[in-house]
């Protein structure tokens, strides 16, 4: 998922060369609707107010479609950048895929980002909205987003998953069907921007745009080198904030059909429980915590 994988993009042809990330989801729904897809961490209720979800591909497609029809009611323009400050959870995956499906460009930032960091990111890409969550551990990301919107007037809307949205924040829970917008036509150009991620540099945040073709080529490379298959599963501790996180957690599983168990705030004991329930799963985690994980898991982590 670095520059070494870029030549693969030039080798894509035929159907692969024309695919978009939203088309990957539509293809997966048609090909394997009952295949298990994304599932929340077993401890999600301890660190958020989100409803725990275990989805198959058909469920995921329905959740994304509903989010698309919700977010379109805001009246943003096609191609508008939208900050996404979500934890590693099914609703976070739905938000990223839904923004792409609605024709917007998701720009993921850390769910623990404060108002100043959100403003910096929003200014860097001229973001028009923020999608976040009301509670994360002891933090209130939707309140941080609301403050950010009051400081940067380019942000027109703040939307949040979970109960207890503060005043001025659009709740994404329990919308009546009659208030949803019609679904848009599918995206047709793989050369359009799929996602914008950020790198911290000495001069501030640097945004990096990746097209649908770049994301898909990197996801194909990762799937091939990691041996991801439709019979396999992964447990990922990487929230899809970076390009690597988005490709490993979202795009590659859509291509390979691999089921994904999401891990929330890092907890080695919760991770051990997840591995015990899927001992053959591939575990995706930062190299910095490998020693700590091995100390807890021992020979369970091959």
């Amino acid at each position: 998922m670095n520059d070494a994988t870029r030549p693969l993009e030039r080798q894509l042809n035929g159907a692969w060369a024309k695919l978009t990330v939203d088309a990957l989801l539509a293809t997966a729904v048609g090909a394997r609707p009952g295949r298990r897809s994304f599932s929340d961490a077993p401890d999600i209720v301890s660190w958020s107010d989100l409803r725990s979800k275990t989805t198959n591909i058909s469920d995921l497609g329905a959740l994304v479609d509903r989010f698309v029809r919700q977010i379109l009611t805001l009246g943003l323009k096609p191609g508008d950048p939208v900050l996404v400050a979500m934890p590693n959870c099914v609703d976070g995956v739905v938000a990223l895929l839904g923004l792409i499906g609605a024709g917007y460009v998701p720009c993921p930032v850390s769910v623990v980002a404060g108002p100043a960091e959100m403003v910096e990111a929003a200014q860097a890409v001229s973001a028009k909205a923020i999608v976040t969550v009301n509670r994360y551990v002891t933090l209130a990301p939707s309140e941080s987003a609301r403050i950010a919107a009051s400081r940067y007037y380019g942000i027109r809307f703040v939307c949040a998953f979970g109960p207890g949205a503060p005043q001025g924040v659009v709740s994404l829970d329990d919308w009546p069907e009659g208030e949803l917008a019609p679904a848009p036509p599918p995206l047709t150009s793989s050369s359009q921007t799929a996602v914008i991620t950020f790198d911290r540099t000495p001069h501030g945040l640097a945004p990096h745009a990746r097209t649908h073709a770049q994301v898909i080529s990197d996801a194909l490379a990762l799937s091939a080198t990691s041996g991801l298959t439709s019979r396999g599963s992964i447990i990922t501790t990487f929230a899809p904030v970076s390009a690597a996180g988005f490709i490993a957690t979202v795009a590659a599983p859509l291509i390979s059909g691999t089921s994904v168990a999401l891990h929330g705030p890092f907890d080695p004991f919760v991770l051990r429980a997840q591995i015990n329930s899927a001992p053959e799963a591939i575990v995706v985690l930062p190299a910095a915590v490998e020693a700590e994980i091995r100390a807890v898991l021992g020979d369970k982590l091959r």
Side-chain angles (χ1 to χ4, degrees), residues 79-236:
D80 274 349
V82 177
L83 296 190
V84 181
M86 292 291 296
N88 199 27
C89 63
V90 172
D91 285 330
V93 174
V94 168
L96 290 167
L97 292 175
L99 287 167
I100 291 172
Y104 308 138
V105 179
C107 308
V109 296
S110 173
V111 69
V112 302
E117 188 173 348
M118 288 188 183
V119 167
E120 184 181 12
Q123 289 176 327
V125 296
S126 299
K128 299 298 186 291
I130 304 175
V131 175
T132 187
V133 65
N134 283 314
R135 182 174 78 86
Y136 180 70
V137 193
T138 60
L139 302 177
S142 61
E143 179 62 17
S144 294
R146 187 193 64 79
I147 295 171
S150 71
R151 296 177 181 174
Y152 176 61
Y153 295 108
I155 299 172
R156 296 173 52 197
F157 302 98
V158 175
C159 307
F161 290 91
Q167 187 173 6
V169 173
V170 178
S171 173
L172 292 168
D173 288 2
D174 302 320
W175 280 36
E177 185 70 22
E179 295 181 8
L180 302 177
L187 187 66
T188 57
S189 175
S190 61
S191 64
Q192 290 181 243
T193 300
V195 63
I196 296 175
T197 57
F198 299 94
D199 289 337
R200 174 63 67 182
T201 74
H203 306 291
L205 283 183
H208 292 280
R210 283 172 171 79
T211 66
H212 289 262
Q214 288 172 331
V215 168
I216 289 171
S217 67
D218 284 348
L220 281 167
L222 178 63
S223 297
T225 57
S226 302
L228 299 182
T229 71
S230 60
R231 295 182 179 181
S233 61
I234 65 174
I235 301 167
T236 177

Side-chain angles (χ1 to χ4, degrees), residues 22-63:
D22 51 322
L24 284 181
L25 176 58
T27 300
V29 170
R32 47 181 189 273
R35 171 67 185 169
R36 184 169 177 174
S37 183
F38 293 84
S39 58
D40 279 320
D43 63 335
I44 189 171
V45 296
S46 70
W47 48 263
S48 80
D49 293 325
L50 301 175
R51 300 166 184 168
S52 179
K53 296 180 177 67
T54 297
T55 66
N56 59 33
I57 286 289
S58 182
D59 297 331
L60 180 68
L63 289 170

